[in-house]
PDB file of all heavy atoms in Angstrom:
ATOM      1  N   TYR A  51      99.665  -0.108  -0.136  1.00 90.00           N
ATOM      2  CA  TYR A  51      98.483  -0.963  -0.313  1.00 90.00           C
ATOM      3  C   TYR A  51      97.634  -0.606  -1.529  1.00 90.00           C
ATOM      4  O   TYR A  51      96.618  -1.223  -1.765  1.00 90.00           O
ATOM      5  CB  TYR A  51      97.582  -0.893   0.931  1.00 90.00           C
ATOM      6  CG  TYR A  51      98.183  -1.559   2.141  1.00 90.00           C
ATOM      7  CD1 TYR A  51      98.926  -0.838   3.060  1.00 90.00           C
ATOM      8  CD2 TYR A  51      98.005  -2.922   2.364  1.00 90.00           C
ATOM      9  CE1 TYR A  51      99.479  -1.446   4.179  1.00 90.00           C
ATOM     10  CE2 TYR A  51      98.558  -3.541   3.477  1.00 90.00           C
ATOM     11  CZ  TYR A  51      99.284  -2.799   4.372  1.00 90.00           C
ATOM     12  OH  TYR A  51      99.833  -3.410   5.478  1.00 90.00           O
ATOM     13  N   THR A  52      97.998   0.449  -2.260  1.00 90.00           N
ATOM     14  CA  THR A  52      97.195   0.797  -3.441  1.00 90.00           C
ATOM     15  C   THR A  52      98.130   0.774  -4.647  1.00 90.00           C
ATOM     16  O   THR A  52      99.316   0.521  -4.500  1.00 90.00           O
ATOM     17  CB  THR A  52      96.592   2.217  -3.310  1.00 90.00           C
ATOM     18  OG1 THR A  52      97.665   3.172  -3.417  1.00 90.00           O
ATOM     19  CG2 THR A  52      95.865   2.407  -1.981  1.00 90.00           C
ATOM     20  N   GLY A  53      97.608   1.124  -5.786  1.00 91.00           N
ATOM     21  CA  GLY A  53      98.457   1.112  -6.983  1.00 91.00           C
ATOM     22  C   GLY A  53      99.221   2.415  -7.165  1.00 91.00           C
ATOM     23  O   GLY A  53      99.757   2.683  -8.246  1.00 91.00           O
ATOM     24  N   PHE A  54      99.325   3.238  -6.117  1.00 94.00           N
ATOM     25  CA  PHE A  54      99.984   4.549  -6.252  1.00 94.00           C
ATOM     26  C   PHE A  54     101.463   4.397  -6.608  1.00 94.00           C
ATOM     27  O   PHE A  54     102.204   3.693  -5.927  1.00 94.00           O
ATOM     28  CB  PHE A  54      99.840   5.332  -4.939  1.00 94.00           C
ATOM     29  CG  PHE A  54     100.591   6.640  -4.932  1.00 94.00           C
ATOM     30  CD1 PHE A  54     100.074   7.739  -5.600  1.00 94.00           C
ATOM     31  CD2 PHE A  54     101.802   6.775  -4.270  1.00 94.00           C
ATOM     32  CE1 PHE A  54     100.756   8.950  -5.599  1.00 94.00           C
ATOM     33  CE2 PHE A  54     102.497   7.970  -4.269  1.00 94.00           C
ATOM     34  CZ  PHE A  54     101.974   9.067  -4.926  1.00 94.00           C
ATOM     35  N   THR A  55     101.881   5.055  -7.694  1.00 93.00           N
ATOM     36  CA  THR A  55     103.305   4.999  -8.081  1.00 93.00           C
ATOM     37  C   THR A  55     103.864   6.399  -8.278  1.00 93.00           C
ATOM     38  O   THR A  55     104.931   6.580  -8.846  1.00 93.00           O
ATOM     39  CB  THR A  55     103.489   4.223  -9.399  1.00 93.00           C
ATOM     40  OG1 THR A  55     102.633   4.833 -10.380  1.00 93.00           O
ATOM     41  CG2 THR A  55     103.149   2.759  -9.250  1.00 93.00           C
ATOM     42  N   GLY A  56     103.107   7.408  -7.841  1.00 94.00           N
ATOM     43  CA  GLY A  56     103.518   8.802  -8.088  1.00 94.00           C
ATOM     44  C   GLY A  56     104.608   9.272  -7.139  1.00 94.00           C
ATOM     45  O   GLY A  56     105.276   8.481  -6.474  1.00 94.00           O
ATOM     46  N   THR A  57     104.759  10.594  -7.080  1.00 95.00           N
ATOM     47  CA  THR A  57     105.776  11.209  -6.227  1.00 95.00           C
ATOM     48  C   THR A  57     105.089  11.902  -5.061  1.00 95.00           C
ATOM     49  O   THR A  57     104.010  12.445  -5.219  1.00 95.00           O
ATOM     50  CB  THR A  57     106.550  12.280  -7.037  1.00 95.00           C
ATOM     51  OG1 THR A  57     106.872  11.725  -8.306  1.00 95.00           O
ATOM     52  CG2 THR A  57     107.827  12.684  -6.339  1.00 95.00           C
ATOM     53  N   VAL A  58     105.750  11.879  -3.906  1.00 97.00           N
ATOM     54  CA  VAL A  58     105.219  12.573  -2.729  1.00 97.00           C
ATOM     55  C   VAL A  58     106.214  13.679  -2.378  1.00 97.00           C
ATOM     56  O   VAL A  58     107.421  13.443  -2.323  1.00 97.00           O
ATOM     57  CB  VAL A  58     105.100  11.599  -1.528  1.00 97.00           C
ATOM     58  CG1 VAL A  58     104.444  12.282  -0.338  1.00 97.00           C
ATOM     59  CG2 VAL A  58     104.316  10.348  -1.926  1.00 97.00           C
ATOM     60  N   TYR A  59     105.700  14.890  -2.145  1.00 98.00           N
ATOM     61  CA  TYR A  59     106.580  16.001  -1.776  1.00 98.00           C
ATOM     62  C   TYR A  59     106.267  16.479  -0.366  1.00 98.00           C
ATOM     63  O   TYR A  59     105.104  16.612   0.001  1.00 98.00           O
ATOM     64  CB  TYR A  59     106.390  17.185  -2.738  1.00 98.00           C
ATOM     65  CG  TYR A  59     106.929  16.935  -4.134  1.00 98.00           C
ATOM     66  CD1 TYR A  59     106.070  16.633  -5.181  1.00 98.00           C
ATOM     67  CD2 TYR A  59     108.296  16.991  -4.387  1.00 98.00           C
ATOM     68  CE1 TYR A  59     106.562  16.403  -6.465  1.00 98.00           C
ATOM     69  CE2 TYR A  59     108.798  16.758  -5.671  1.00 98.00           C
ATOM     70  CZ  TYR A  59     107.927  16.461  -6.696  1.00 98.00           C
ATOM     71  OH  TYR A  59     108.421  16.229  -7.955  1.00 98.00           O
ATOM     72  N   ALA A  60     107.344  16.752   0.419  1.00 98.00           N
ATOM     73  CA  ALA A  60     107.150  17.295   1.772  1.00 98.00           C
ATOM     74  C   ALA A  60     108.467  17.925   2.216  1.00 98.00           C
ATOM     75  O   ALA A  60     109.527  17.624   1.672  1.00 98.00           O
ATOM     76  CB  ALA A  60     106.747  16.192   2.747  1.00 98.00           C
ATOM     77  N   THR A  61     108.391  18.790   3.229  1.00 96.00           N
ATOM     78  CA  THR A  61     109.618  19.398   3.760  1.00 96.00           C
ATOM     79  C   THR A  61     110.302  18.409   4.711  1.00 96.00           C
ATOM     80  O   THR A  61     109.675  17.471   5.194  1.00 96.00           O
ATOM     81  CB  THR A  61     109.299  20.684   4.547  1.00 96.00           C
ATOM     82  OG1 THR A  61     108.483  20.328   5.677  1.00 96.00           O
ATOM     83  CG2 THR A  61     108.568  21.696   3.694  1.00 96.00           C
ATOM     84  N   GLU A  62     111.573  18.685   5.016  1.00 95.00           N
ATOM     85  CA  GLU A  62     112.331  17.734   5.848  1.00 95.00           C
ATOM     86  C   GLU A  62     111.763  17.577   7.267  1.00 95.00           C
ATOM     87  O   GLU A  62     111.593  16.451   7.742  1.00 95.00           O
ATOM     88  CB  GLU A  62     113.814  18.139   5.909  1.00 95.00           C
ATOM     89  CG  GLU A  62     114.623  17.057   6.572  1.00 95.00           C
ATOM     90  CD  GLU A  62     116.103  17.370   6.659  1.00 95.00           C
ATOM     91  OE1 GLU A  62     116.525  18.462   6.224  1.00 95.00           O
ATOM     92  OE2 GLU A  62     116.831  16.522   7.180  1.00 95.00           O
ATOM     93  N   PRO A  63     111.419  18.679   7.990  1.00 94.00           N
ATOM     94  CA  PRO A  63     110.851  18.460   9.329  1.00 94.00           C
ATOM     95  C   PRO A  63     109.543  17.678   9.276  1.00 94.00           C
ATOM     96  O   PRO A  63     109.259  16.874  10.174  1.00 94.00           O
ATOM     97  CB  PRO A  63     110.597  19.881   9.860  1.00 94.00           C
ATOM     98  CG  PRO A  63     111.430  20.768   9.025  1.00 94.00           C
ATOM     99  CD  PRO A  63     111.592  20.113   7.701  1.00 94.00           C
ATOM    100  N   THR A  64     108.740  17.903   8.235  1.00 96.00           N
ATOM    101  CA  THR A  64     107.477  17.168   8.111  1.00 96.00           C
ATOM    102  C   THR A  64     107.759  15.669   8.054  1.00 96.00           C
ATOM    103  O   THR A  64     107.116  14.870   8.743  1.00 96.00           O
ATOM    104  CB  THR A  64     106.726  17.623   6.841  1.00 96.00           C
ATOM    105  OG1 THR A  64     106.387  18.999   6.991  1.00 96.00           O
ATOM    106  CG2 THR A  64     105.459  16.822   6.628  1.00 96.00           C
ATOM    107  N   VAL A  65     108.758  15.288   7.259  1.00 96.00           N
ATOM    108  CA  VAL A  65     109.078  13.864   7.102  1.00 96.00           C
ATOM    109  C   VAL A  65     109.658  13.304   8.405  1.00 96.00           C
ATOM    110  O   VAL A  65     109.250  12.241   8.876  1.00 96.00           O
ATOM    111  CB  VAL A  65     110.078  13.663   5.936  1.00 96.00           C
ATOM    112  CG1 VAL A  65     110.529  12.210   5.848  1.00 96.00           C
ATOM    113  CG2 VAL A  65     109.434  14.099   4.625  1.00 96.00           C
TER     114      VAL A  65
END
Side-chain angles (χ1 to χ4, degrees):
Y51 290 93
T52 70
F54 175 77
T55 54
T57 315
V58 185
Y59 289 103
T61 63
E62 189 179 2
T64 296
V65 174

